[in-house]
Amino acid sequence: MDGETAPDGYEVEKCGECDANDDEQTTASDDPLNIFRMPKRMTLPEKVKNSEEIIAKNLRFWRETLEKQRITKVLAPMVDQSELAFRMFTRKYGAQLTFTPMIHAHLFVNDGTYRRNSLALVKADRPLIVQFCANKVETFLAACRLVEDVCDGVDLNLGCPQMVAKRGRYGSWLQDEVDLICEMVSAVRDYCKLPVSCKIRVREDREQTVEYAKRLVEAGATMLTVHGRTRDMKGADTGLADWSRIRDIVEAVGSKVPVMANGNIQFPGDVERCMKETGAVAVMSAEGLLYNPLIFDDTNAHVETWKIAAEYLEYARKFHAGTSAIRAHVFRICHHSLLEYEDLRMRVSLEHRVEDFENIVEELGKRARADAETGKEREAEARQLFETIRNGQLMDAIEVSKQPHWISKPYFRLKEVAKESIVGEGEKTFREKQKEKLAQAAKEMGVSMKQARKRERRQLSGARILEAKRTKFPPCARCGQPAGQGCTNNKCKKCCRFQCKTETMDCKSHRYLFASRTTVTVAEN
């Protein structure tokens, strides 16, 4: 749990900014920004039961860590969106504890490729909690034991409300099987070196919620994160989290384990207000950080969205973020502006390379600056409004939604705000325009709306494929075939491997690490 070194046998790759330092005589595991991934082949030793001293130490771990490091701001686990690049980006602007995306324990244990691709780590990203979803005791325990050397704690996801979680029997849909949950938590408490925590949602009944939390603590949970919404509060029915429900749990188990609050974090100052109202030791944010990754930074919270997106893309390049994660973050950070520029919104859905996303954000910045030049008075009023909200004024969702699109602000669903606050009188919202287009297309094709939507998605997938095929790769310097994208040797994969192996070199693009592995072996000897 100390995070001092990358464990032996883990695959190490250099982050983007390290390319200029290749000549320095340092081992790959010395740099705190070098990325390391789980190996495809891992064997677990026989499990050994923890002593009472280890169990007691783990029980104290999070309370002592949160107090010692004064941790109050936490990045939530989000599927495909709390990836390494975003974790490091939010750390720069105030996040003190981060969670990995939710990982499927069964796949993590049984599929080496999934294990390698699902978890990218750097030593600078600590303290870190790895979150799993599971519904079998042995599977959850095995997954937790596999990450004992790379993180500070493990977490059981009991909060995901999506239908995929219901079909998979995990997340908040497992809360009806409390005995099974307690078995899983107790197994990790007894046989894993790491402290285990749980992220839950409140139940419909207050007394049931408190009893649920008590059972988890008795089973061995060393920390609880409580989302102040029920599992039915999602999508258009999300609504506001109930902080008083979180306070119930703090009063019930807060003296035994630390309790973190989750929900309604949309502006700077919300963290302090939430801690005061709930009594929680720290506050976690998910959706709030997706639309404004700077809300934990009081001084920089409301800058232009395109500037935030451009900086995130620097981290995405540096820490090798995947295309789906990059696309999702650009969509959310620039959400309000992309509703204004439909052509750029379509381009975001089609592109695959970091360079292309950077070009889109650059173009977005040019258009947003032109809008800002004619809307200086509106921008000044918006910043004044945001400052009053930060200082304690109750937020008016309609008023906030009317503010300029180029300034970062919370995302509101149509149920939460009046339609007229988003568009002018007589105008239609983006969704209404899209629905109208779809209805027209369905009429022309003579099919149902559902079938028209399916065809539209197929066309979009086809457009993505065509866009990828149009990309011209430079020829391989050795055989003339297309070279790998970003290959440092300007060669195809086969030729690059030959050169890296014979000349003991590394290639970040193809992930060949012949030089790094040799250096590490020499250093160990």
Side-chain angles (χ1 to χ4, degrees):
M1 289 188 290
D2 56 9
E4 290 299 322
T5 59
D8 294 339
Y10 286 64
E11 300 180 32
V12 182
E13 56 189 76
K14 294 183 178 180
C15 72
E17 72 170 10
C18 297
D19 295 343
N21 300 323
D22 285 343
D23 295 331
E24 295 182 10
Q25 300 299 311
T26 58
T27 63
S29 60
D30 285 338
D31 194 323
L33 293 179
N34 277 343
I35 302 165
F36 60 98
R37 297 177 184 273
M38 306 294 290
K40 286 188 176 181
R41 295 181 181 177
M42 297 185 75
T43 304
L44 283 172
E46 285 293 321
K47 61 184 182 182
V48 178
K49 190 167 185 178
N50 290 332
S51 65
E52 292 298 325
E53 290 77 11
I54 292 176
I55 293 174
K57 180 183 176 183
N58 285 343
L59 181 61
R60 297 191 306 267
F61 179 79
W62 283 119
R63 188 178 295 281
E64 292 174 355
T65 301
L66 296 176
E67 289 177 359
K68 184 178 179 180
Q69 300 185 27
R70 299 180 180 178
I71 293 172
T72 58
K73 299 172 181 178
V74 183
L75 170 67
M78 294 173 282
V79 177
D80 290 335
Q81 288 175 61
S82 56
E83 85 288 356
L84 176 60
F86 194 68
R87 296 200 303 268
M88 295 303 292
F89 182 40
T90 54
R91 277 188 183 277
K92 178 180 177 181
Y93 291 103
Q96 300 161 298
L97 169 64
T98 57
F99 281 66
T100 66
M102 181 194 75
I103 297 171
H104 288 262
H106 176 78
L107 293 174
F108 192 79
V109 171
N110 296 292
D111 187 332
T113 301
Y114 176 86
R115 178 165 59 244
R116 186 190 182 284
N117 294 334
S118 63
L119 199 55
L121 307 146
V122 295
K123 289 185 286 182
D125 183 26
R126 306 293 284 268
L128 172 72
I129 295 177
V130 177
Q131 188 188 67
F132 293 105
C133 67
N135 55 25
K136 292 182 180 177
V137 177
E138 289 302 320
T139 304
F140 180 51
L141 174 59
C144 293
R145 292 180 66 208
L146 286 173
V147 298
E148 282 181 336
D149 297 323
V150 300
C151 64
D152 300 281
V154 288
D155 187 80
L156 178 60
N157 183 327
L158 299 171
C160 181
Q162 305 304 327
M163 289 307 296
V164 67
K166 185 177 183 179
R167 290 193 295 270
R169 192 168 149 254
Y170 63 82
S172 63
W173 301 98
L174 204 63
Q175 70 184 26
D176 298 323
E177 303 179 55
V178 181
D179 291 340
L180 172 61
I181 294 171
C182 290
E183 269 190 78
M184 290 195 287
V185 173
S186 295
V188 176
R189 176 199 63 192
D190 292 340
Y191 293 100
C192 180
K193 297 177 188 174
L194 297 169
V196 58
S197 58
C198 299
K199 185 174 186 293
I200 66 174
R201 284 188 171 231
V202 297
R203 306 179 76 152
E204 294 291 344
D205 183 77
R206 282 181 178 266
E207 291 182 5
Q208 285 184 358
T209 304
V210 170
E211 185 60 31
Y212 180 36
K214 287 180 177 179
R215 288 283 305 275
L216 293 175
V217 173
E218 288 169 4
T222 61
M223 179 168 66
L224 294 181
T225 303
V226 185
H227 191 151
R229 295 181 176 94
T230 66
R231 67 185 178 191
D232 295 321
M233 296 173 70
K234 59 186 177 181
D237 298 318
T238 296
L240 292 175
D242 187 346
W243 285 352
S244 69
R245 303 290 301 277
I246 301 174
R247 187 167 193 87
D248 290 346
I249 295 177
V250 172
E251 291 172 351
V253 301
S255 60
K256 297 178 181 178
V257 298
V259 178
M260 297 196 297
N262 181 211
N264 296 357
I265 308 303
Q266 297 176 313
F267 272 94
D270 285 347
V271 169
E272 292 75 18
R273 283 191 286 274
C274 181
M275 289 177 66
K276 184 178 179 181
E277 288 194 30
T278 63
V281 297
V283 172
M284 176 186 285
S285 178
E287 189 175 84
L289 280 171
L290 287 180
Y291 288 91
N292 182 5
L294 277 60
I295 58 172
F296 284 157
D297 187 336
D298 290 347
T299 57
N300 295 303
H302 298 292
V303 301
E304 292 84 346
T305 54
W306 60 270
K307 289 183 179 178
I308 300 175
E311 188 172 2
Y312 163 72
L313 289 173
E314 293 176 11
Y315 278 78
R317 181 184 289 277
K318 181 175 169 182
F319 293 106
H320 310 168
T323 301
S324 61
I326 295 173
R327 181 180 291 119
H329 285 303
V330 172
F331 262 129
R332 283 172 171 77
I333 294 170
C334 302
H335 170 79
H336 301 287
S337 294
L338 289 174
L339 292 178
E340 300 289 326
Y341 313 125
E342 193 175 340
D343 60 320
L344 295 183
R345 182 184 176 88
M346 180 58 70
R347 281 180 61 189
V348 172
S349 68
L350 295 175
E351 302 296 2
H352 292 77
R353 301 182 303 167
V354 178
E355 302 84 42
D356 297 324
F357 288 111
E358 288 171 338
N359 292 337
I360 293 169
V361 171
E362 184 179 355
E363 175 62 26
L364 181 73
K366 290 178 183 177
R367 299 187 192 183
R369 280 194 295 268
D371 288 347
E373 195 63 33
T374 59
K376 289 182 178 179
E377 188 175 332
R378 286 184 64 211
E379 181 173 333
E381 291 174 356
R383 295 191 181 282
Q384 187 176 357
L385 172 65
F386 293 162
E387 183 63 23
T388 59
I389 294 172
R390 178 181 175 277
N391 291 332
Q393 178 181 304
L394 190 64
M395 181 182 68
D396 183 340
I398 294 178
E399 190 66 28
V400 171
S401 65
K402 290 179 179 178
Q403 303 313 310
H405 66 82
W406 60 86
I407 304 176
S408 56
K409 58 183 179 180
Y411 165 70
F412 298 104
R413 293 167 179 82
L414 276 175
K415 268 197 170 186
E416 298 171 345
V417 295
K419 174 187 167 182
E420 56 270 15
S421 70
I422 299 174
V423 297
E425 187 176 350
E427 295 181 6
K428 296 178 180 177
T429 65
F430 177 81
R431 287 180 184 275
E432 287 174 332
K433 290 176 184 176
Q434 291 296 99
K435 193 171 182 179
E436 200 172 72
K437 284 183 184 178
L438 192 65
Q440 183 63 29
K443 185 177 180 182
E444 291 173 359
M445 292 185 287
V447 297
S448 65
M449 289 273 284
K450 185 177 180 180
Q451 188 62 33
R453 188 176 288 107
K454 283 185 179 179
R455 294 187 183 186
E456 184 183 55
R457 286 173 182 163
R458 288 188 198 124
Q459 287 178 353
L460 185 59
S461 297
R464 284 178 180 166
I465 293 169
L466 287 172
E467 191 68 27
K469 286 181 177 178
R470 285 195 200 103
T471 304
K472 292 185 178 180
F473 296 95
C476 171
R478 184 166 179 260
C479 70
Q481 295 293 323
Q485 182 181 329
C487 176
T488 52
N489 301 315
N490 294 318
K491 289 182 172 61
C492 65
K493 188 172 184 178
K494 186 176 180 180
C495 294
C496 180
R497 187 180 190 282
F498 175 80
Q499 181 176 346
C500 289
K501 188 174 182 180
T502 54
E503 300 180 19
T504 318
M505 299 169 60
D506 286 346
C507 176
K508 179 185 69 177
S509 176
H510 288 122
R511 293 177 176 168
Y512 295 141
L513 305 169
F514 294 99
S516 299
R517 287 172 181 165
T518 302
T519 307
V520 171
T521 303
V522 171
E524 288 174 353
N525 294 333

